[in-house]
Amino acid sequence: MSESSTVEIQGKHLKLTNLEKVLYPAAGFTKGQVIDYYARIAPVLVPHLAGRPLTLKRYPNGVDQQFFFEKNATIHRPPWVKTAPIWSEGNNRNVNYILANDLPTLVWVANLAAIELHPSLSLAKKIESPTMLVFDLDPGAPANMVQCAQVGIWLRAIFDHFGLQSFPKTSGSKGLQLYVPLNTPTSYDITKPFAHALARVLENDHRDLVVSDMKKSLRIGKVLVDWSQNDEHKTTIAVYSLRARERPTVSTPVKWEEVEQVLKKKDPSLVVFEANQVLDRAEKLGDLFEPLLKLKQKLPSLPGVGKGAPEAIAAGLELAAQAEPRTRKKTAIAATRPAASKKRRKV
């Protein structure tokens, strides 16, 4: 591969530069390989980016060097790159976010050494309305993906109780992330307090393993159920995005059966995937996150929902645990709690 190349992609001309530059020194993974990965994963990735304000995390000199976040699209962008003006209260002005709506834009973004892609939970046209609920399960050492798998399964049980489908993906780093597609009218004033309340319920039921407070000192040996990502001003790593780790790992959608195997075999490596492996998985399995695009679901109507009152919502969740679940009775909320006559066992 030459150091630079001019390519035509879907009728758009683009100059790719520094293709031989190594961005992952430990793996010898070059900028050209980063671009190649994003070009090949585009059929399953672009639908999850299209129409969403995109924040870039750029590593111009490699993953072991300084990086910077870029929200406002550079003025030197090609004329065919679409943007969306989103009002920023902190900056008291509009920020022109990139919309990675197509393959040429994705390749252009990759050529900027934007290794990590962080989209909004909302579409730009309805920025106040998230299309999904998200939980980031972040382990504090010595906890790892095994403990995240257990917490993820507990979370799934709660959503099963309400008849809601949930979908896991790896963070591409240390943890696991759980997504609940909504695609129905809602707001962050509803989703964020709900997520906070659910995290509190899990913490209350599993204090030996779960924490909902962001203080790092509380995370040692536990899993933080990070509910705060459900915010108009925050982003979450995109499904299929590369991560700036020692090796080119990817935030990868996984099956619940794979999560269960991690817990059963106590082997975090079972869900660690690098770029080439993810390309193979996408070809074999298709897009495991496709339901996030269209599946319509509504959060349960509980006291406090829509009023920004996580305490009231948590109480509602506790009461709901006593009712009959819609699906999977064996994995209802009550099933996430140890029986009163048995000791709690650490995972």
Side-chain angles (χ1 to χ4, degrees):
M1 185 181 292
S2 61
E3 189 65 15
S4 64
S5 176
T6 299
V7 297
E8 181 179 345
I9 304 173
Q10 296 178 353
K12 308 293 194 301
H13 291 87
L14 183 61
K15 184 177 181 180
L16 307 179
T17 59
N18 300 317
L19 297 177
E20 297 291 345
K21 189 171 188 176
V22 176
L23 296 184
Y24 289 83
F29 203 74
T30 66
K31 182 180 175 184
Q33 289 174 294
V34 168
I35 295 172
D36 178 69
Y37 166 75
Y38 276 123
R40 293 168 63 191
I41 202 66
V44 292
L45 170 56
V46 168
H48 295 283
L49 300 178
R52 298 180 186 275
L54 182 64
T55 297
L56 310 180
K57 193 173 182 181
R58 296 176 58 181
Y59 291 80
N61 295 309
V63 297
D64 59 342
Q65 301 296 318
Q66 289 188 334
F67 64 86
F68 62 95
F69 286 95
E70 186 170 64
K71 296 184 178 183
N72 206 36
T74 173
I75 60 174
H76 302 295
R77 64 186 181 273
W80 39 263
V81 171
K82 304 297 183 184
T83 62
I86 304 295
W87 180 255
S88 169
E89 293 183 3
N91 296 305
N92 197 34
R93 64 179 177 86
N94 279 329
V95 173
N96 286 313
Y97 284 89
I98 293 166
L99 301 179
N101 293 341
D102 51 34
L103 174 59
T105 302
L106 181 59
V107 172
W108 173 75
V109 163
N111 189 56
L112 297 176
I115 288 177
E116 293 190 2
L117 309 178
H118 296 253
S120 170
L121 299 182
S122 304
L123 295 169
K125 62 183 180 181
K126 293 184 179 179
I127 197 63
E128 73 288 344
S129 181
T131 63
M132 62 196 79
L133 186 73
V134 176
F135 293 89
D136 186 9
L137 309 183
D138 186 13
N144 57 33
M145 180 63 82
V146 175
Q147 286 72 34
C148 289
Q150 175 63 88
V151 176
I153 289 169
W154 285 334
L155 269 172
R156 178 186 63 175
I158 295 176
F159 287 115
D160 281 350
H161 177 89
F162 291 111
L164 297 173
Q165 294 185 53
S166 56
F167 300 85
K169 73 178 178 74
T170 68
S171 68
S173 181
K174 299 178 294 182
L176 188 71
Q177 296 171 337
L178 185 65
Y179 282 61
V180 179
L182 298 175
N183 297 307
T184 50
T186 189
S187 71
Y188 289 100
D189 289 337
I190 292 175
T191 59
K192 188 173 183 178
F194 184 90
H196 191 182
L198 202 158
R200 286 187 177 187
V201 168
L202 272 181
E203 180 180 37
N204 185 58
D205 291 343
H206 306 284
R207 290 191 177 277
D208 58 336
L209 187 60
V210 177
V211 62
S212 66
D213 193 298
M214 303 297 166
K215 294 178 183 176
K216 289 189 176 182
S217 60
L218 300 176
R219 302 187 197 180
I220 299 173
K222 296 185 178 183
V223 175
L224 169 66
V225 178
D226 188 351
W227 49 271
S228 69
Q229 300 298 314
N230 298 281
D231 189 292
E232 181 179 336
H233 306 292
K234 291 193 176 184
T235 60
T236 305
I237 191 71
V239 64
Y240 301 113
S241 175
L242 286 164
R243 298 308 305 267
R245 307 286 291 174
E246 186 174 278
R247 299 193 62 82
T249 54
V250 174
S251 181
T252 310
V254 292
K255 297 179 179 180
W256 276 115
E257 292 82 0
E258 293 177 291
V259 176
E260 291 164 357
Q261 283 299 305
V262 169
L263 181 59
K264 180 179 179 180
K265 296 184 178 181
K266 301 191 183 305
D267 185 355
S269 70
L270 293 176
V271 288
V272 176
F273 303 104
E274 295 187 13
N276 288 336
Q277 294 171 299
V278 173
L279 289 168
D280 290 341
R281 283 174 63 88
E283 184 176 352
K284 179 181 178 181
L285 302 175
D287 180 14
L288 294 178
F289 250 42
E290 186 176 10
L292 269 294
L293 301 173
K294 295 181 180 179
L295 180 60
K296 294 184 178 182
Q297 303 186 119
K298 291 184 178 181
L299 295 180
S301 297
L302 297 171
V305 172
K307 299 178 181 179
E311 296 85 356
I313 302 171
L317 284 167
E318 293 285 358
L319 288 173
Q322 302 170 20
E324 285 295 307
R326 296 184 198 170
T327 59
R328 292 197 191 184
K329 291 185 179 182
K330 291 182 180 180
T331 55
I333 297 177
T336 72
R337 303 188 178 94
S341 60
K342 297 180 180 179
K343 283 188 175 181
R344 297 188 181 188
R345 292 186 296 175
K346 291 186 178 180
V347 177

